[in-house]
Amino acid sequence: MSIAENIVLVGFMGTGKSAIAREISKKLNFHHIETDEMIEKREGMKISEIFEKKGEPYFRKLEHEMLENFCQTATEKAVISTGGGMPVSDLNRDLLKSLGYVVWLRTTKEETFKRVSNDNNRPLLSGGEMELKILTLMEERDPIYEEVSQFKIDTEGLSISEISGGIIDSASYFFSKHEV
Ligand code: S3P
């Protein structure tokens, strides 16, 4: 099997995808691509504003187009941190898998709540009953993250450096076993 040599991070909101991707990209000298950031730049709006003014389906369409476009044009090795809902669409899951080694970052519902409760740029969790929203969405999405990823890592209690080191080691092993 021939696969692209990128590292793709998926997982629920608040699992630290961006910070970990940044650290891995520094250590490996890879590009760092953040899908939400690209969407915000393109639209000139924060994610919460896009949801509010244009709606979630519009955001999902942008998310898909951006991923598709990236898959067609990417030439350099990259660490890609994705928005938590990116793998929900099966088309996106196929694209993510085609990009390289997909890693699922996990954390508990309690820790997620602690990390996101003061954040107002996560529209899916706003408007009250945040704990229930986290619980429901996580239960719905866990099988999806499981399906799309080759490796999962429980991040709680680990430093960014430990998590990124673990991902780099497992990715190196994976790429050494697959033709790239
Ligand atoms: C979303 C996660 C967010 C962002 C948007 C939707 C989701 O990204 O893409 O608010 O559906 O889980 P983070 O996972 O970086 O918070």
Side-chain angles (χ1 to χ4, degrees):
M1 181 176 54
S2 175
I3 94 155
E5 205 174 341
N6 301 293
I7 297 175
V8 181
L9 303 185
V10 300
F12 205 77
M13 292 168 262
T15 43
K17 290 166 293 201
S18 308
I20 294 161
R22 213 172 296 120
E23 177 82 3
I24 297 173
S25 67
K26 263 195 237 146
K27 286 186 171 159
L28 294 180
N29 203 21
F30 278 23
H31 278 267
H32 174 206
I33 308 291
E34 183 162 347
T35 60
D36 280 350
E37 197 180 277
M38 286 173 75
I39 292 173
E40 287 186 336
K41 267 198 198 136
R42 188 187 130 163
E43 292 294 291
M45 279 187 252
K46 302 290 288 174
I47 299 290
S48 53
E49 242 185 304
I50 303 175
F51 269 71
E52 194 190 311
K53 296 198 171 134
K54 307 210 169 173
E56 185 177 352
Y58 178 82
F59 172 80
R60 297 299 174 200
K61 188 168 158 280
L62 283 185
E63 205 175 33
H64 172 70
E65 283 170 5
M66 209 264 318
L67 181 64
E68 198 167 43
N69 185 43
F70 179 74
C71 288
Q72 283 161 4
T73 56
T75 49
E76 299 187 60
K77 291 177 189 175
V79 188
I80 301 134
S81 42
T82 58
M86 179 71 94
V88 172
S89 130
D90 51 358
L91 285 180
N92 288 354
R93 286 202 292 284
D94 289 342
L95 291 171
L96 292 169
K97 288 181 201 166
S98 77
L99 275 176
Y101 187 59
V102 184
V103 178
W104 172 21
L105 299 180
R106 288 174 22 150
T107 190
T108 59
K109 299 164 200 75
E110 295 75 21
E111 183 60 26
T112 302
F113 179 66
K114 266 196 237 157
R115 293 184 191 180
V116 303
S117 52
N118 290 322
D119 194 327
N120 55 11
N121 197 28
R122 290 201 163 95
L124 289 184
L125 303 179
S126 67
E129 302 204 308
M130 189 185 269
E131 277 179 283
L132 182 64
K133 284 176 182 158
I134 292 173
L135 181 77
T136 313
L137 259 189
M138 247 188 200
E139 276 179 2
E140 206 176 289
R141 288 184 177 175
D142 277 1
I144 289 170
Y145 296 134
E146 176 92 60
E147 196 265 313
V148 73
S149 58
Q150 276 106 355
F151 182 64
K152 64 180 163 196
I153 182 159
D154 285 309
T155 61
E156 226 174 307
L158 297 177
S159 67
I160 290 182
S161 172
E162 286 167 332
I163 299 165
S164 37
I167 294 173
I168 291 171
D169 289 349
S170 69
S172 309
Y173 181 75
F174 178 83
F175 291 132
S176 75
K177 297 284 169 203
H178 293 78
E179 193 191 321
V180 289

